[in-house]
Amino acid sequence: MDTTLRGVGVSHGVAIGEARHMGTAVLEPPAKQIAAEEAPREQQRARQAVEAVAADLVARGNLAGGEAQAVLEAQAMMAQDPELAADVERRIAVGSTAERAVYDAFAAYRALLAQAGDYLAGRVADLDDVRNRIVARLLGVPMPGVPDSDRPYVLIARDLAPADTALLDPALVLGFVTEEGGPTSHSAILARALGVPAVVALPGAGELAEGTVVAVDGSTGEVMVNPTDAEREELSRAAAERKAAVEGAKGPGATSDGHKVPLLANVGGPGDVPAAVEAGAEGVGLFRTEFLFLDDSERAPSEDKQVEAYRQVLEAFPEGRVVVRVLDAGADKPLSFLTPSDEPNPALGVRGLRTLLDHPEVLQGQLRALAKAAEGLPVYLEVMAPMVADRADARAFADACREAGLNAKFGAMVEIPSAALRARSVLQEVEFLSLGTNDLAQYTFAADRQVGAVSRLQDPWQPALLDLVATAAEAARAEGKSCGVCGEAASDPLLACVLTGLGVTSLSMGASAIPFVRAQLAKHTLAQCERAAAAARAADSGPDARAAAQAVLSGE
């Protein structure tokens, strides 16, 4: 077939190559019964397989570092879930083989997740990957995963598990296309970190025949099947123009008429710092501290361990700005010592700041560690709370910061629509806002960021989401305070111009996106950005908003 398909572009660049599909999933093990005396041996086999898979996931995370490490360590914790382990042992005790017990126990847990609300349903792909790896080990068959090829290719999959995405070799995997996922899914975030062009939420991707030549444009979301020579030339020309523009834009972020827009990096730990520095990040706009807490789900890391990790990041940006988000636990990032196990809808329950206020000793330990880490450094430390709903939340966090003796600015993340709508009230207690557009979109549209079927509503171009961004930015301007964006929306160069036009004062993103955003901002004046923002807000859908902004910025 010669056609153009459209999904959601989540990682910039163009890739042209032959399609190769992910390895098939593990086959369902036979329902074979075992004798009672074989149960202890089978239970031991199951435990060994689980531990081996968990260790492999942790090792992959250590190799990948940064955000990938946090994601893979969370998967390792999933593999070792004590309730799942108990269910596996119970099934073996009544006659199942180890592999069948694992398969059935995971199936039961999978059904619970699928019914537990959109947020947890989005973890099903991660759960399936863990199950497949354990069953494959028990059956003695190759692990599911990326194709074994010595020639570069475009990877096609229904979805990509973090364990596969984290260790993709950019020299072989030119780009990837998935049927599932969304712009803020784990795979999308890791693709941007790798700098691999990627398109997700593409209906029918699995129907592309093995070996078919495809051209993937990670900026537009287009996938051309069997592109003509003329189409290949046009894609290559456009990619070359983007590359030249990126290489020509240097220095701090700013519009063409000199309006400054600091470009900051999102980091998951010290491992992400070198890429941020190389990309010319002017600081860190989102330092996710969860990676430290995922090492041990039973207890918080010691203050000394936290101090060491925090100081490594702070030292990398002397006299720069580093915005630290305190622990965001709950929902898709459960920690057994903090997170309730019986919440009917964890995404709408006790998570983020609510969890920390229920466990003040954990919050105080983290704030004290940050205070110690910043001692003697010229860095501009700012600390913010996740999932702030109202002024009372903001006040509680600011009080906790003062109690810990923290010499820093205190801020609030705007991820809940109520915080955007009442931003002036929240700003009576804190000194800055940071818009987490990933969760803000999720809660605005009731659309899980991991579910491809609702990716239309996860689109950060949705005018309703832009309205909330504008509301928060206007409130900050009225109060003489700053309002940045640290969600993945900031990594879209065109949208970065619109966000600037809405009044956002800084943009934070994965390091690989910084050069693209810097180049795009440098092409337009602040007035053009403001006109593009107004045109986008006047539209009725995400695609229409993007088209309207594009028309303004291209002078059409």
Side-chain angles (χ1 to χ4, degrees), residues 66 69 267-275 287 291-292 308-313:
Q69 183 173 8
V267 303
D272 289 339
V273 167
F287 178 7
F291 80 102
L292 275 171
E308 181 182 357
Y310 301 153
R311 195 169 180 92
Q312 287 182 55
V313 176

Side-chain angles (χ1 to χ4, degrees), residues 69-71 73-74 77 290-297 334-335:
Q69 183 173 8
V71 172
E73 287 178 350
M77 288 166 53
E290 289 79 48
F291 80 102
L292 275 171
F293 292 78
L294 291 171
D295 284 345
D296 185 349
S297 67
L335 293 170

Side-chain angles (χ1 to χ4, degrees), residues 466-487:
L466 299 181
D467 287 345
L468 290 174
V469 172
T471 297
E474 288 165 7
R477 184 166 54 246
E479 293 294 327
K481 296 180 178 180
S482 63
C483 177
V485 167
C486 65

Side-chain angles (χ1 to χ4, degrees), residues 56-440:
D56 178 62
L57 290 167
V58 170
R60 286 168 177 259
N62 290 337
L63 283 172
E67 295 180 42
Q69 183 173 8
V71 172
L72 292 171
E73 287 178 350
Q75 267 199 301
M77 288 166 53
M78 185 181 285
Q80 297 169 304
D81 183 276
E83 292 185 16
L84 265 172
D87 191 18
V88 169
E89 300 224 344
R90 181 188 64 77
R91 291 173 187 273
I92 293 173
V94 296
S96 286
T97 61
E99 49 266 35
R100 185 70 207 193
V102 168
Y103 186 89
D104 289 341
F106 271 75
Y109 194 42
R110 187 186 199 279
L112 289 174
L113 282 186
Q115 297 167 7
D118 284 347
Y119 210 104
L120 281 182
R123 307 284 81 75
V124 165
D126 291 0
L127 186 71
D128 286 348
D129 179 60
V130 172
R131 176 204 64 200
N132 290 347
R133 290 173 184 278
I134 297 172
V135 172
R137 184 169 287 275
L138 287 166
L139 291 174
V141 300
M143 289 286 175
V146 298
D148 183 13
S149 173
D150 56 2
R151 293 174 53 192
Y153 58 90
V154 173
L155 183 61
I156 311 294
R158 180 173 181 182
D159 202 354
L160 281 172
D164 295 317
T165 316
L167 296 182
L168 289 178
D169 181 356
L172 283 177
V173 181
L174 302 171
F176 66 75
V177 179
T178 67
E179 288 193 48
E180 298 293 331
T184 58
S185 64
H186 286 153
S187 291
I189 292 170
L190 295 176
R192 285 187 283 269
L194 287 167
V196 176
V199 172
V200 302
L202 182 76
E207 298 172 14
L208 291 167
E210 188 83 0
T212 301
V213 175
V214 293
V216 180
D217 190 328
S219 299
T220 66
E222 290 183 342
V223 175
M224 291 184 182
V225 182
N226 292 320
T228 64
D229 289 343
E231 287 171 331
R232 291 192 191 205
E233 260 184 55
E234 175 58 24
L235 278 171
S236 298
R237 184 193 61 76
E241 286 181 0
R242 288 180 202 150
K243 183 178 179 181
V246 165
E247 292 174 348
K250 303 293 182 184
T255 59
S256 62
D257 56 341
H259 175 73
K260 292 182 179 179
V261 186
L263 302 181
L264 313 170
N266 294 344
V267 303
D272 289 339
V273 167
V277 172
E278 185 179 351
E282 297 167 60
V284 171
L286 173 61
F287 178 7
R288 303 180 179 95
T289 57
E290 289 79 48
F291 80 102
L292 275 171
F293 292 78
L294 291 171
D295 284 345
D296 185 349
S297 67
E298 301 299 324
R299 64 186 62 82
S302 69
E303 286 185 30
D304 287 344
K305 182 177 180 180
Q306 291 187 60
V307 170
E308 181 182 357
Y310 301 153
R311 195 169 180 92
Q312 287 182 55
V313 176
L314 296 176
E315 286 177 336
F317 296 95
E319 300 184 13
R321 178 186 179 201
V322 175
V323 184
V324 179
R325 181 179 70 190
V326 293
L327 176 64
D328 184 14
D332 66 330
K333 292 171 283 190
L335 293 170
S336 60
F337 70 99
L338 288 180
T339 310
S341 60
D342 57 352
E343 285 191 302
N345 192 341
L348 300 179
V350 180
R351 63 166 296 199
L353 180 61
R354 299 168 189 173
T355 299
L356 292 175
L357 293 179
D358 280 352
H359 298 271
E361 72 286 355
V362 175
L363 176 58
Q364 283 297 311
Q366 189 170 21
L367 294 174
R368 286 194 300 269
L370 284 165
K372 292 176 185 174
E375 283 178 3
L377 297 179
V379 68
Y380 296 97
L381 177 62
E382 302 184 14
V383 182
M384 62 185 180
M387 302 301 292
V388 170
D390 58 13
R391 182 173 180 174
D393 277 353
R395 182 188 305 120
F397 179 65
D399 287 346
C401 289
R402 284 187 282 267
E403 183 182 341
L406 191 62
N407 181 25
K409 284 187 175 182
F410 317 143
M413 289 198 70
V414 177
E415 302 164 283
I416 302 173
S418 62
L421 295 170
R422 299 287 296 170
R424 288 198 73 169
S425 174
V426 170
L427 283 165
Q428 303 311 302
E429 305 293 340
V430 293
E431 297 172 81
F432 69 93
L433 300 177
S434 184
L435 288 145
T437 52
N438 305 348
D439 271 322
L440 186 57

